[in-house]
Amino acid sequence: MSTTASGRPGEEAQVDWGALRALAQEAMGKAYVPYSKYPVGAAALLDNGRTVSGCNVENASYGLTLCAECSLVSAIHMGGGGRIVAFTCVDGAGEILMPCGRCRQLLYEHRAPGMVLETVSGLRTMDQVLPDAFGPEDLEK
């Protein structure tokens, strides 16, 4: 399924959700999950046209586990930056996952205007999955 998502004001970016999901599945295959055995992969299209991915990385203390969204955001910054236009996340069976609240907040901070997520209930904007969010703009007030 293809759709469009706003990357920058006045521009439309074509989103190939199947390809984005495939990238997330590839990332999921690299997850380090010796404790939970629950691999997760995430992928995003950025406003500069790049795609990035990430996987979860567990730790024996559990509380220090990194979600796939965390490694994805790290990859964004390590690769030169950009803002997320479209995002998807999958489990070990390739099924769509909804990011947890913590990860929604993380994604919110790195979103492009109009960011779209592939969710268990269809395509949703960031504002729909995290309404009335607190972000960097609030710190500037």
Side-chain angles (χ1 to χ4, degrees):
M1 170 184 190
S2 290
T3 188
T4 57
S6 175
R8 288 177 230 166
E11 289 186 23
E12 292 294 318
Q14 190 66 18
V15 179
D16 181 341
W17 290 101
L20 206 56
R21 207 168 22 263
L23 185 61
Q25 289 174 339
E26 180 183 334
M28 178 271 303
K30 297 175 182 176
Y32 176 74
V33 291
Y35 310 106
S36 73
K37 310 286 191 249
Y38 193 79
V40 176
L45 171 65
L46 306 182
D47 61 356
N48 58 16
R50 288 191 313 126
T51 55
V52 294
S53 61
C55 64
N56 56 329
V57 178
E58 293 183 344
N59 186 281
S61 70
Y62 290 112
L64 295 179
T65 293
L66 298 176
C67 296
E69 294 88 343
C70 293
S71 65
L72 180 136
V73 167
S74 292
I76 290 172
H77 290 281
M78 289 295 295
R83 307 305 268 168
I84 303 170
V85 172
F87 173 87
T88 193
C89 189
V90 299
D91 66 14
E95 297 295 321
I96 302 301
L97 290 175
M98 180 59 122
C100 70
R102 173 184 176 266
C103 289
R104 290 181 206 189
Q105 181 67 37
L106 178 67
L107 294 170
Y108 179 83
E109 184 140 345
H110 299 278
R111 79 201 182 289
M115 177 187 163
V116 177
L117 295 81
E118 186 175 36
T119 76
V120 296
S121 56
L123 298 178
R124 302 285 185 256
T125 67
M126 188 80 243
D127 292 335
Q128 289 173 312
V129 300
L130 192 64
D132 303 321
F134 181 89
E137 309 83 26
D138 296 297
L139 296 174
E140 296 170 4
K141 292 180 182 177

